[in-house]
Amino acid sequence: MSQSYILSFELTLPQRIYPYLDRLFNVFKWEVRRTVGEIWNEDFFKRFKGRGSASAILKEILKKPPNIPSRVHRNILELSGEIVRSHIERKRIYDYLMEKPCRVLFDEDRIADELNASPLFVLNVQRQVRKILRKEKDKKSYFQVVKPSFNGEVVIFSADDSVENGQFKKLRFSRRYIEFEIKVPDGNSWKWIKVRKLIPDRLKKFLTEAKRTCAPLIKKVYLKSGLSIYRLVIPLEFETRFSEGSLKVFSLDLSPSEKRLGVGVIVSPEGHSRPIFFNAEKMVKKLERILKEISNLEKKIDNIADEIHITGNREHKVRLEKRLKHLFAEQKLKWRKFKELRKQILEVFTKLILEYARAYDYSFIAVERLKFSRLSDWKNRRMRRLFSQWFYARFIERLRQKALRYGLRVLLINPYRTSRVCHKCGGEGKLEKLEFKCQCGTYDRDYNASVNIGKRALEKLVSGAKSEPYRGEDIPARFPFLQGTIHLKGKALLSILPLTLLLSYLRLVETSYLKLSRLSRYLQTDKYG
């Protein structure tokens, strides 16, 4: 079984063509905004529900401006149509909730099952509807509430002809160089400009493996310094084959909290392994510290803003405004640091899970189907909202994207009662914070849940069931062969990563199943080095 996926590579374009790109991006910005305003109605929503190209639908209805080439206009229509099309699913959920406003209080999973939608998407629309109902007494249509905007930071070429010989762009690869041509406005006319760059070694490697090159795009990126650059984004399509391998599952109970990110277990017909704890306590404390610093800055900003309104001294007011500007810049820097560190934790966590797959040769990763509205209690509620909920929302998406590259499958398992049923005897136990107590003994709560998730995933694979079974059944009774414990020996865990990279990873996400002194010896051998 195979599946295609796309990886994008970015190349910074030379500054000599930036004046031309500035004019091109301005044309796209204002034309897309004008077009979206014209098609923002119920009639065009119905037209875009099909699979047809947006430009093919719109080109017969909207006239081309006389000063814009036909292929450029076609891409403007395509981008405008995709912006409108991206709101179709949101509007469907919005109308469903507005039909009976009490539905905003329902569980997002219940509504997601009824509408066959993403639970996270439903939760976001529920929040939007709650805000509207608080402010407005009368029900409003989606077109009155939502006004789409386009910031003009991207130019697409998907509605052009072929990648190599388009009428708006041309992208060719030689042995050493990338040749890119694009048509840009120059006064009252349009002309071609050409860029030639060396192919980076990393891209050169993937070009030989890629199935095909997809339509590129150009995006505008704002740097920390405030300056902007233009980057050419080259999407490459790859085909991956899922590895059947042995019937072995890495199950993970995700529990983003102040002490850990999750607990993993390797489950196979012979039994299950010891728990693997993924911790990020140091980094979470660092995030809390940054958040506290942001809170202190906000208090200073409020105090200075109040003082500006009170003071009558013009010189003092100017000094306060400079100070306020400095504090706003510092606050923005802190927020950027917070978000980047949070993203690094997620990226490293998913990477380490996949490294376990490469080291222990399993083909499936089982994770619970997450609920975004039910999160663990943290002392700092704001921290929980900014880190933990974001973590829930992004984890499965990123894990699936990365697993696809390695030919691994991610299974979503119903988490019903996995924390309350003993993985050994099947009896119901008691939960006390992070402990699970049963007549068989006392276990870590998340470890017990991860074993149960792995057993459910194995049942799903053995039976070939498409649905998610288990609504309170006796788990171990259905798996008499899963009572033992696997002692995994003979392989150095995470030995595929270079030691220097591994050490930098462990600063963000710590794993309890790792002995660095033992690992360093394996890394020096030919087998793992």
Side-chain angles (χ1 to χ4, degrees), residues 10 61 66 96 164 218 229-230 267 280 289 343 351 388 402 434-435 485 492 496 499 510:
E10 297 184 6
I61 302 170
Y96 179 81
E164 293 186 355
I218 300 177
I229 59 173
Y230 290 101
V267 180
R289 187 172 69 251
K343 183 180 178 182
K351 178 66 174 177
S388 185
K402 292 185 177 183
L434 288 177
E435 288 187 347
T485 300
I496 295 171
L499 182 59
E510 302 168 13

Side-chain angles (χ1 to χ4, degrees), residues 425-491:
C425 67
E428 187 165 343
K430 294 182 179 180
L431 298 176
E432 293 183 7
K433 296 183 179 180
L434 288 177
E435 288 187 347
F436 173 86
K437 294 184 178 180
C438 176
Q439 60 183 0
C440 303
T442 301
Y443 311 103
D444 183 272
R445 170 181 175 167
D446 297 328
Y447 165 59
N448 179 70
S450 62
V451 175
N452 287 334
I453 289 171
K455 291 178 179 180
R456 292 186 183 184
L458 206 58
E459 157 77 3
K460 195 173 180 179
L461 292 171
V462 171
S463 63
K466 295 182 180 178
S467 60
E468 294 178 350
Y470 294 103
R471 299 299 296 180
E473 296 96 329
D474 187 355
I475 296 174
R478 303 184 66 172
F479 296 95
F481 51 85
L482 281 174
Q483 301 297 324
T485 300
I486 303 172
H487 296 285
L488 300 169
K489 297 180 179 179
K491 287 195 175 183

Side-chain angles (χ1 to χ4, degrees), residues 33-192:
R33 286 184 177 181
R34 181 183 61 81
T35 305
V36 170
E38 292 182 20
I39 63 178
W40 188 248
N41 54 58
E42 188 70 40
D43 178 46
F44 281 100
F45 265 63
K46 292 178 181 178
R47 292 172 184 263
F48 290 136
K49 282 185 179 178
R51 293 187 177 182
S53 169
S55 60
I57 297 171
L58 295 175
K59 69 180 181 180
E60 303 297 333
I61 302 170
L62 302 179
K63 292 184 179 180
K64 181 183 78 67
N67 59 332
I68 296 179
S70 60
R71 286 299 184 275
V72 178
H73 182 246
R74 188 179 294 182
N75 282 278
I76 289 171
L77 295 180
E78 185 68 29
L79 183 54
S80 305
E82 290 305 321
I83 291 172
V84 173
R85 187 171 270 165
S86 66
H87 286 265
I88 292 176
E89 180 68 7
R90 183 178 286 273
K91 180 181 180 297
R92 183 171 74 99
I93 300 171
Y94 178 90
D95 292 341
Y96 179 81
L97 296 176
M98 276 298 188
E99 183 183 355
K100 294 182 179 179
C102 62
R103 288 170 175 165
V104 298
L105 303 175
F106 289 0
D107 185 79
E108 71 272 9
D109 285 314
R110 174 182 169 183
I111 297 176
D113 290 338
E114 291 178 7
L115 298 179
N116 192 23
S118 164
L120 179 60
F121 208 18
V122 171
L123 184 62
N124 288 336
V125 180
Q126 280 180 317
R127 289 173 177 169
Q128 180 187 25
V129 173
R130 284 195 203 105
K131 291 180 181 178
I132 294 168
L133 293 176
R134 287 194 201 105
K135 296 178 181 179
E136 305 288 343
K137 294 182 180 180
D138 300 330
K139 295 181 183 179
K140 287 193 171 184
S141 71
Y142 189 79
F143 302 105
Q144 293 176 308
V145 173
V146 179
K147 301 295 181 184
S149 61
F150 176 61
N151 55 16
E153 294 178 2
V154 65
V155 166
I156 66 169
F157 306 102
S158 56
D160 197 11
D161 297 332
S162 67
V163 175
E164 293 186 355
N165 296 304
Q167 297 184 39
F168 183 20
K169 59 86 188 63
K170 297 176 183 178
L171 179 65
R172 300 187 182 95
F173 297 96
S174 62
R175 187 173 181 181
R176 295 179 57 195
Y177 295 97
I178 299 174
E179 293 182 356
F180 177 66
E181 294 182 66
I182 181 174
K183 188 178 284 188
V184 294
D186 183 26
N188 295 325
S189 62
W190 291 68
K191 72 173 187 178
W192 287 93

Side-chain angles (χ1 to χ4, degrees), residues 24 54 96 123 166 176 207 250 256 275 299 327 336 368 418 426 447:
L24 175 64
Y96 179 81
L123 184 62
R176 295 179 57 195
L207 280 172
F250 183 82
K299 291 178 183 178
L327 290 175
R336 184 186 292 120
E368 57 185 329
T418 52
Y447 165 59

